[in-house]
Amino acid sequence: MRTKGDQAAPQLSLGWIFRQNRGALAMALLWAVGAEAAGLLALAAVCLAVVWAIDGSLLAQGMSRPLWLAAWLLAAILAKGLGAYLSTASAHKVAFEFLRQTRSRLVERLADMPLGFFNQRNTGQIKKILWEDVERLEAFIAHNIPDVLASAVNLILAAGLLLALDWRVGLAAVGVALGCGAVYGLATGRHRNLYEQWCEANENLNAAMIEYIQGMPAIKAFNRPSRFFAALGKAIDDCARLEKELVAKWYWPMAVFTVGSRAGLAAILPLGGWLHLQGELTTGALVMLLLLGFHFGSGFLSLLSFGASLEQNSAGITRINSLLAGPVMPWPAEGEGSEPGTGLSGRDLAFSYPQGPEALRGVDFSAPPGRVLALVGPSGSGKTTLARLMARFWDPDQGRVLFGEADARQICWPRLMKQVAFVFQDAHLFSGTIGENIALGRPEASREAIEACARQAQCHEFIAGLPQGYDTRIGDRGVQLSGGERQRLCIARALLKDAPVVIFDEATSFLDPLCEAQVQDAISRLCQGKTVVVIAHRMETVVAVDEIILMDQGLAVARGGHEELLAHSRLYAELWAAQQGAAVWKIGQGVGPADRGGRILQKRERGYV
Amino acid sequence: MFSALYYLWRLAPQCRRPFMLASLFKLLEALAATAALGVLLLAMDDLARAGFTGGALAAYSGLLAACLLAQLLLFYLFCRLSYPAGVDLAQVLRLKLGEHLPKLSLGFFNSTSVGRLNSVVSDELMMTEHLPTLVLPQLITAAAVPIFTLGLLCWLDWRLFLCALALLPLSLLIFRRGQSSLTAQLDRRSALARQLNQEMVEYIQGMEALQAYNGTGSFLDKLGKLFIVMRDRNIKLARSGPAYLNGGNTVLALAPAAILILGCQLLSEGLIPAPALVSCLVIGLYAYEPLKGLGLAVEIYKLCEPGLTELKKVLDTPRLPTPPRPRSPRSYDIILQDVCFAYESRRVLNHVSFTARAGEITALVGPSGAGKSTLVNLMARMWDVQAGAVLIGGVDLRHMEPAELNQAVSMVFQDVRLFNDTVFNNIALGREGASPQEVRNAAQEAWAHEFIMALPRRYETVIGEGGGRLSRGQRQRIAIARALLKGSPIVLLDEATASLDPESQRMIQQALASLLRGRTAVVIAHRLETITEADSIVVMGQDGEVSAVGNHESLLQGCTLYQELWRARLRAGGWRLGLGRAGGSDAQA
């Protein structure tokens, strides 16, 4: 098994790709050389036939010369087809192996990142990089690289041949091709600014379109399609305007690009013809020059367009690299570092989210073995952040989280994960069977053990009622579970893991009354005899715990038992009063404008959370 | 491919003219390219006849230059017409989509169709503009150049023409074979790709659970194996696809060899002059060259296809039928008459009838899966009922103007959609032309004013995509302020809304109290103690039927399902961590 956080991920670059696949790319190059050489040989055969036809010697030995030439031609054409095929096949092999390596490295890298990295926003971006950006490299490696190889080989061989046949004509033809290339090449680099503007407009358009689609129910509910359509229309128009401006820069370069492949002829015919009339160029040489000139230049232009596709891919490569260079948590090697002790505590913890405000400042906490610690406070006060530091989703900027005497950073990953179970609100179930999902932490667990935990978590009954019991698949192609059922499965999973420390977020998502009671029973079972930290949203559920920490704006402002806090902390008393008032609320009743508890909450609330 | 082009042709009439002109220029450009070949042939012909003089050379050089210049100019004109038209086309398609979406029923906007749509509008729809700019010219060149050059060949010698032509069906056969085998393999590959994509998404989304349960290693092994399968499948695909392509191209490249043999035979029998044979050989070398571009055309087309299919599907989704003579409701009672509804094959509502009277609170309770949410969705005409009718003020929803119905009904559910815009605009969405004072009043009534004033730019603060930087309770109150401003006489409410964010539920409750005052309210209830004062409670049974209607007291007396739900709720409400059940033994359901 691999160890976490032990390898540096090399950055992705074209050079890296080439170095990694030197052998296969050399093969692709070799085959391309073969194919292009065979192509020129075929051309030479036709050329010879033309020359012999012109001087009347084609049938000098009956059909033997034509047959011999035809055999040559046939062999050359077949060789060219075979070479081109093998060259593409090798390039594809490189490309797909490269895709595999890149994805493997990316997914392994993800496993080493702080869990806090995987928030909602990031998930979408990571998905896009793993799938689209990596996939796009295939076209680049498998198609552009062999194209470029073939073009370069063709260019070198044909130019050499042209120069060898007659250096003056060859020079002129190469000169014309270079001229066309210069026109096109100059145009490629010049409009970067406009191109970037257009990319931005395009991104805006996509965002506007997606907001329009996702917001459509709200837009319709408020009868305002015209306003939103106007905004979308503007984004569409902006994008189209910039794109038109951009494509307008390409009319001439594209025309030059297309005609440029045979522009060399314009030099070869007059110059070659004149030299022929002067007697300095044989008929055969002239014919060969003309036939060569028909396509000479296309190679050169393909080389230029390689630059453009390289640029298109560089954005994707940059994104892939930024993910490879993402934050990584250092972990001690497996089996090394400290042994975690019992109980959980934290000293002087401070933490800020990347590019975010300070979320915790100077927080101490202690959850002795077998005791229950509750975190309460207004929303945005730092309860969840603190719980996430305990499970090492992030490392604190300052201070330490201790398992017994051992710093969490000194404990190797498998040991730490054995120590803690967490049950958060949006626990994920994997597509697979119910049994597999419960046994996630202990794949070797027996069916009996799984069932025992399922019973304790109050979910055996509904599982037994499913068509295939514990072998029923969940997810897209299987049964859909209700929120309460999912929560109980996650609790069963935690029960089977049987870690000494349990951190859980008291659920706030709403279940029907029957479900809710069952989930509560399951949680009670999970917490029996464990060190427990609970993030409590409803204060009434934690009145009986051993210690409560009251959080406010990133600080631990008070701690103690419920009665103690009620007597000594004004904020606690006010929050309690507000929630008690909320608990007896009936729909259709206000609590009155003079509602003191509500007013206090309102004052405590932050702008952004 | 042609059907896709035809579909676009019909969809965007304003782009037809530029595309026709552009096609014409492209055709002329192909003709100019063939003419350049013709000049070359004439020169060689002269060489063969020993008539190659200075005068002829000057004329040919001039002609060739003219051909190349004409080609340059024609291609420029083609670009000039077709590129902006391609941009226009993408624009037209997007606008069409934008115009069509608001006319669809709300039921269309479920998560799957929205997800699919999201993925195509960005990339694939954009690719469609390449259909006319890249695919069309390739098609034209691939068709025109061989026709022109083979025509020339036919004029020179019909037997050699037939000989060259004979290669065409053979190579097309190979291309076709390749195409169909490729399609089959591509389908298998995309199934694998979908699976891999799903697994990777699951890996990212489930990272927390995987790490917590030490499952990362085995999941990575699984992914690694899939990566290998995918690589091998792809490599296999890359072996067979190009094999057919290269095979077909090679067959076409045999043309000069075939012409050489037959030509020499004819030459030996005196049936063809040597100079003509030279021309035929050179034509054989280049006639089929443009067909190679077809591969590119097909490739690009494949990239556009999913976007077009999705677009077609959306544009073909019928609009919500609007009544020919819409009627307006006289009051805001909601009456359900014998309503039945099923999602595909699953029956959700079974002959449901009850009345929610104007100005009263009607609560819906029942176990999950009893169809409470579906009922509420039908009242907003997210879907149409399959049997029975929903009436507002005596008017069937299907006979109301959709805009009027939308105006009459507000929904306050758990998911809140806020737009990437200022707080002010998000609230003002509730009413066209709302004044700043009205927006402020609504925010105050919804208990949102104070936190809005604590935002960096107050009402002018732009809240992130989907309102992501606010807490759930704050987003909920902005949505309520919006609904207050809208002032619909009917409010459909999910009671869970009030307690999604327990820390701020007091404020949401206050906001909801303002919203419900004096309106017809239909409430989906979870915590039964909140609805004990409701005017009417509808108890839904497991099979989507109404099992009882009454008030709290009468139902406690007469409805066993309600009693059961009530007892469970009391038990849940008294739960204390570390103590088990308040006031009794730790019951084990």
Side-chain angles (χ1 to χ4, degrees):
Chain A
M1 205 191 135
R2 57 185 291 283
T3 0
K4 269 178 81 83
D6 58 351
Q7 54 202 165
Q11 292 276 295
L12 208 62
S13 69
L14 218 52
W16 188 84
I17 300 174
F18 284 131
R19 276 196 301 281
Q20 287 295 302
N21 303 286
R22 221 174 285 143
L25 281 173
M27 285 310 283
L29 178 65
L30 201 64
W31 290 121
V33 172
E36 294 304 325
L40 289 176
L41 280 175
L43 202 62
V46 174
C47 191
L48 197 54
V50 168
V51 172
W52 280 341
I54 289 173
D55 66 21
S57 63
L58 192 54
L59 296 173
Q61 295 150 17
M63 278 303 276
S64 87
R65 271 188 176 179
L67 283 175
W68 177 71
L69 273 177
W72 170 1
L73 202 49
L74 191 70
I77 288 164
L78 290 179
K80 180 179 179 180
L82 191 67
Y85 167 71
L86 290 173
S87 172
T88 346
S90 325
H92 273 96
K93 217 169 147 178
V94 172
F96 291 123
E97 170 59 15
F98 176 70
L99 256 55
R100 188 195 68 77
Q101 282 175 20
T102 308
R103 288 211 173 103
S104 287
R105 271 173 51 200
L106 281 170
V107 294
E108 281 178 26
R109 191 69 178 172
L110 288 176
D112 295 340
M113 292 188 173
L115 277 178
F117 184 75
F118 298 89
N119 57 33
Q120 279 301 313
R121 193 171 316 173
N122 265 349
T123 310
Q125 282 168 3
I126 298 171
K127 240 156 52 180
K128 193 174 138 59
I129 294 172
L130 262 178
W131 190 248
E132 291 169 33
D133 286 337
V134 175
E135 195 70 14
R136 218 162 275 157
L137 291 173
E138 184 264 329
F140 177 70
I141 301 173
H143 298 257
N144 295 25
I145 289 183
D147 275 0
V148 156
L149 287 181
S151 302
V153 171
N154 177 287
L155 185 73
I156 292 166
L157 290 181
L161 204 53
L162 277 173
L163 289 166
L165 285 165
D166 187 278
W167 66 271
R168 290 156 297 194
V169 179
L171 220 52
V174 172
V176 171
L178 276 175
C180 290
V183 171
Y184 181 79
L186 281 177
T188 338
R190 269 220 338 251
H191 310 294
R192 182 180 277 271
N193 202 1
L194 190 59
Y195 176 73
E196 275 162 15
Q197 278 179 37
W198 170 70
C199 286
E200 202 186 312
N202 201 30
E203 268 169 37
N204 288 343
L205 170 58
N206 286 341
M209 199 84 187
I210 284 170
E211 177 153 280
Y212 185 73
I213 294 170
Q214 286 182 340
M216 190 47 74
I219 294 170
K220 280 177 66 98
F222 293 97
N223 268 332
R224 303 290 283 283
S226 54
R227 189 194 127 194
F228 281 88
F229 185 65
L232 176 67
K234 192 183 165 298
I236 293 176
D237 290 346
D238 281 350
C239 187
R241 188 175 44 77
L242 279 167
E243 194 178 353
K244 273 188 185 166
E245 214 176 301
L246 189 66
V247 296
K249 312 276 186 211
W250 284 93
Y251 302 154
W252 280 117
M254 275 312 287
V256 170
F257 182 93
T258 309
V259 179
S261 65
R262 53 172 63 162
L265 273 183
I268 295 172
L269 180 62
L271 189 59
W274 182 73
L275 288 170
H276 176 68
L277 288 175
Q278 301 301 306
E280 291 186 30
L281 200 63
T282 61
T283 311
L286 179 59
V287 168
M288 188 73 193
L289 282 171
L290 286 174
L291 292 185
L292 267 175
F294 215 75
H295 272 290
F296 176 71
S298 55
F300 190 68
L301 294 167
S302 302
L303 281 180
L304 284 168
S305 64
F306 181 71
S309 54
L310 189 65
E311 196 164 310
Q312 279 164 13
N313 276 285
S314 66
I317 292 186
T318 309
R319 277 193 295 269
I320 292 172
N321 278 333
S322 73
L323 192 57
L324 284 173
V328 174
M329 275 194 171
W331 294 83
E334 214 172 312
E336 286 174 24
S338 324
E339 273 296 340
T342 54
L344 182 61
S345 60
R347 283 187 212 141
D348 194 27
L349 296 169
F351 181 72
S352 308
Y353 284 99
Q355 287 111 37
E358 195 171 43
L360 286 181
R361 222 171 341 138
V363 176
D364 293 322
F365 74 92
S366 163
R371 310 290 288 272
V372 180
L373 172 69
L375 308 176
V376 301
S379 60
S381 60
K383 304 184 292 282
T384 307
T385 307
L386 181 56
R388 297 202 162 210
L389 289 190
M390 293 177 191
R392 216 179 165 206
F393 275 39
W394 296 104
D395 279 332
D397 299 336
Q398 179 198 310
R400 301 192 294 165
V401 173
L402 301 167
F403 284 81
E405 294 301 311
D407 190 317
R409 280 170 290 205
Q410 299 304 321
I411 304 170
C412 72
W413 178 53
R415 278 189 199 151
L416 183 73
M417 289 302 152
K418 232 174 232 142
Q419 203 66 19
V420 196
F422 35 84
V423 179
F424 287 159
Q425 286 186 41
D426 40 8
H428 190 84
L429 291 179
F430 293 88
S431 59
T433 69
I434 289 195
E436 283 164 10
N437 264 289
I438 296 177
L440 183 64
R442 279 173 50 197
E444 75 290 348
S446 68
R447 180 50 61 83
E448 288 71 35
I450 292 174
E451 266 191 42
C453 290
R455 275 179 211 281
Q456 288 192 36
Q458 309 281 328
C459 49
H460 176 71
E461 213 170 304
F462 88 79
I463 297 171
L466 291 171
Q468 279 112 39
Y470 284 82
D471 295 322
T472 309
R473 293 189 69 82
I474 37 183
D476 289 342
R477 281 152 297 168
V479 294
Q480 301 293 330
L481 299 177
S482 76
E485 289 164 345
R486 300 174 77 88
Q487 281 185 3
R488 278 177 282 157
L489 277 184
C490 292
I491 294 169
R493 184 147 88 184
L495 273 165
L496 186 68
K497 181 173 162 181
D498 194 28
V501 178
V502 175
I503 299 171
F504 83 93
D505 190 333
E506 176 233 345
T508 56
S509 57
F510 249 79
L511 307 170
D512 75 62
L514 298 172
C515 263
E516 192 180 9
Q518 286 170 336
V519 170
Q520 291 168 348
D521 288 335
I523 290 175
S524 299
R525 286 308 184 106
L526 176 64
C527 295
Q528 259 166 31
K530 301 280 163 61
T531 307
V532 178
V533 179
V534 53
I535 305 168
H537 301 282
R538 282 173 290 184
M539 295 161 79
E540 66 198 47
T541 59
V542 295
V543 291
V545 305
D546 302 294
E547 188 181 36
I548 299 170
I549 294 182
L550 174 63
M551 303 285 300
D552 188 32
Q553 313 204 343
L555 295 167
V557 290
R559 64 188 73 220
H562 174 66
E563 299 300 332
E564 199 182 338
L565 283 169
L566 212 49
H568 294 113
S569 165
R570 199 171 149 185
L571 174 62
Y572 187 85
E574 281 162 351
L575 289 173
W576 175 255
Q579 284 212 351
Q580 288 306 102
V584 297
W585 176 70
K586 312 258 185 265
I587 277 178
Q589 295 180 337
V591 200
D595 173 26
R596 193 156 160 272
R599 290 284 166 223
I600 282 153
L601 282 174
Q602 211 173 2
K603 296 260 180 301
R604 288 271 152 207
E605 199 175 18
R606 286 182 176 186
Y608 279 135
V609 294
Chain B
M1 177 163 8
F2 293 104
S3 68
L5 287 174
Y6 179 63
Y7 182 67
L8 292 176
W9 172 264
R10 276 190 317 163
L11 212 57
Q14 56 270 67
C15 299
R16 284 178 199 171
R17 219 179 94 87
F19 281 132
M20 278 173 60
L21 271 177
S23 305
L24 181 68
F25 285 128
K26 188 71 190 86
L27 197 67
L28 290 174
E29 190 259 348
L31 194 62
T34 316
L37 180 66
V39 174
L40 206 61
L41 293 177
L42 285 175
M44 291 204 196
D45 196 56
D46 275 4
L47 275 175
R49 292 172 202 280
F52 196 68
T53 63
L57 175 64
Y60 294 145
S61 299
L63 269 176
L64 182 69
C67 285
L68 290 175
L69 274 179
Q71 210 189 339
L72 187 73
L73 192 65
L74 287 164
F75 200 88
Y76 166 77
L77 288 171
F78 162 76
C79 291
R80 213 196 147 110
L81 279 162
S82 75
Y83 283 37
V87 177
D88 283 339
L89 178 69
Q91 192 179 7
V92 167
L93 295 185
R94 286 188 171 121
L95 289 173
K96 275 223 181 306
L97 188 67
E99 274 169 352
H100 190 74
L101 285 175
K103 292 169 186 147
L104 299 176
S105 82
L106 278 176
F108 174 82
F109 296 91
N110 57 34
S111 55
T112 35
S113 55
V114 167
R116 259 206 320 264
L117 209 55
N118 275 345
S119 71
V120 296
V121 288
S122 31
D123 282 345
E124 280 122 345
L125 204 57
M126 169 124 177
M127 291 300 297
T128 50
E129 73 188 57
H130 296 315
L131 271 181
T133 52
L134 292 176
V135 176
L136 191 65
Q138 292 285 1
L139 289 178
I140 292 174
T141 312
V145 170
I147 289 176
F148 292 149
T149 46
L150 290 179
L152 200 59
L153 184 61
C154 183
W155 177 71
L156 286 168
D157 189 279
W158 62 271
R159 288 153 299 210
L160 292 181
F161 161 72
L162 286 181
C163 168
L165 195 64
L167 296 170
L168 196 58
L170 181 60
S171 75
L172 286 183
L173 204 69
I174 297 176
F175 284 137
R176 243 199 124 73
R177 273 294 293 274
Q179 191 65 43
S180 55
S181 102
L182 202 65
T183 314
Q185 289 196 60
L186 274 175
D187 285 348
R188 249 175 295 151
R189 192 194 87 114
S190 48
L192 183 66
R194 259 199 307 279
Q195 188 196 347
L196 185 58
N197 198 0
Q198 260 172 19
E199 295 282 1
M200 289 199 298
V201 169
E202 187 150 272
Y203 176 69
I204 302 167
Q205 287 178 344
M207 186 58 84
E208 196 177 296
L210 284 174
Q211 300 254 351
Y213 292 95
N214 219 342
T216 325
S218 56
F219 207 103
L220 276 176
D221 288 345
K222 179 161 88 170
L223 278 179
K225 272 181 205 132
L226 268 176
F227 288 152
I228 290 174
V229 174
M230 182 78 182
R231 178 198 63 189
D232 294 344
R233 175 86 43 98
N234 272 325
I235 289 176
K236 205 177 139 209
L237 194 68
R239 275 202 195 113
S240 63
Y244 286 106
L245 199 66
N246 275 302
N249 281 336
T250 305
V251 168
L252 291 176
L254 291 175
I259 290 174
L260 180 64
I261 299 204
L262 183 63
C264 287
Q265 202 66 49
L266 295 174
L267 190 67
S268 68
E269 288 165 27
L271 291 171
I272 186 172
L277 179 60
V278 170
S279 293
C280 291
L281 273 173
V282 176
I283 289 174
L285 206 52
Y286 297 119
Y288 290 123
E289 196 69 22
L291 282 180
K292 287 184 184 166
L294 278 180
L296 178 70
V298 170
E299 215 168 283
I300 294 171
Y301 170 70
K302 288 264 175 239
L303 290 175
C304 315
E305 207 176 14
L308 270 180
T309 318
E310 197 58 35
L311 181 75
K312 195 160 179 287
K313 209 164 15 174
V314 175
L315 292 183
D316 289 349
T317 305
R319 304 166 172 204
L320 205 58
T322 42
R325 271 169 309 168
R327 295 172 54 200
S328 290
R330 290 180 300 276
S331 73
Y332 293 103
D333 289 329
I334 306 171
I335 301 170
L336 279 85
Q337 287 175 346
D338 207 24
V339 169
C340 293
F341 188 80
Y343 289 113
E344 278 149 29
S345 59
R346 200 162 56 86
R347 194 74 180 261
V348 183
L349 294 175
N350 245 331
H351 303 283
V352 172
S353 301
F354 66 85
T355 301
R357 264 179 285 282
E360 292 191 348
I361 293 174
T362 303
L364 303 177
V365 303
S368 50
K372 303 185 294 276
S373 310
T374 309
L375 255 183
V376 169
N377 284 339
L378 291 180
M379 292 179 190
R381 210 183 166 195
M382 291 268 232
W383 309 96
D384 275 333
V385 295
Q386 284 149 356
V390 181
L391 298 92
I392 290 182
V395 180
D396 192 316
L397 296 190
R398 287 167 291 194
H399 298 150
M400 277 174 76
E401 187 72 57
E404 188 175 4
L405 175 65
N406 285 339
Q407 187 53 49
V409 178
S410 282
M411 301 173 89
V412 180
F413 280 5
Q414 298 190 33
D415 311 321
V416 174
R417 179 76 207 175
L418 296 184
F419 291 90
N420 196 4
D421 203 339
T422 62
V423 173
F424 181 89
N425 284 338
N426 264 294
I427 297 177
L429 180 66
R431 191 192 304 155
E432 193 110 45
S435 72
Q437 192 53 47
E438 285 171 315
V439 168
R440 236 179 136 90
N441 288 346
Q444 249 151 4
E445 264 196 275
W447 285 57
H449 178 69
E450 296 225 3
F451 85 78
I452 294 171
M453 295 308 277
L455 293 172
R457 301 196 55 217
R458 304 178 173 187
Y459 280 86
E460 293 310 308
T461 312
V462 173
I463 42 186
E465 202 177 308
R469 293 169 71 191
L470 301 176
S471 78
R472 294 174 93 176
Q474 289 169 338
R475 274 155 49 194
Q476 201 59 252
R477 278 173 282 153
I478 287 187
I480 294 172
R482 189 152 82 179
L484 274 164
L485 203 55
K486 182 178 167 191
S488 308
I490 295 172
V491 176
L492 307 177
L493 169 72
D494 185 340
E495 177 258 336
T497 308
S499 40
L500 276 179
D501 191 352
E503 286 85 355
S504 64
Q505 62 176 320
R506 187 61 168 271
M507 293 179 277
I508 301 173
Q509 289 169 354
Q510 291 281 19
L512 286 176
S514 314
L515 180 64
L516 296 185
R517 206 167 293 137
R519 302 183 209 270
T520 310
V522 178
V523 180
I524 300 174
H526 304 269
R527 294 184 310 165
L528 301 190
E529 66 267 28
T530 61
I531 49 114
T532 51
E533 308 280 312
D535 300 286
S536 156
I537 299 172
V538 179
V539 184
M540 303 285 300
Q542 193 67 65
D543 298 321
E545 82 289 357
V546 174
S547 67
V549 181
N551 61 24
H552 179 62
E553 277 74 33
S554 71
L555 289 170
L556 267 186
Q557 297 291 317
C559 175
T560 44
L561 178 56
Y562 190 77
Q563 288 164 1
E564 199 183 318
L565 290 168
W566 179 251
R567 273 200 303 272
R569 179 54 211 159
L570 284 184
R571 213 156 62 80
W575 181 69
R576 302 286 180 268
L577 186 66
L579 277 189
R581 299 281 162 218
S585 59
D586 189 347
Q588 307 222 342

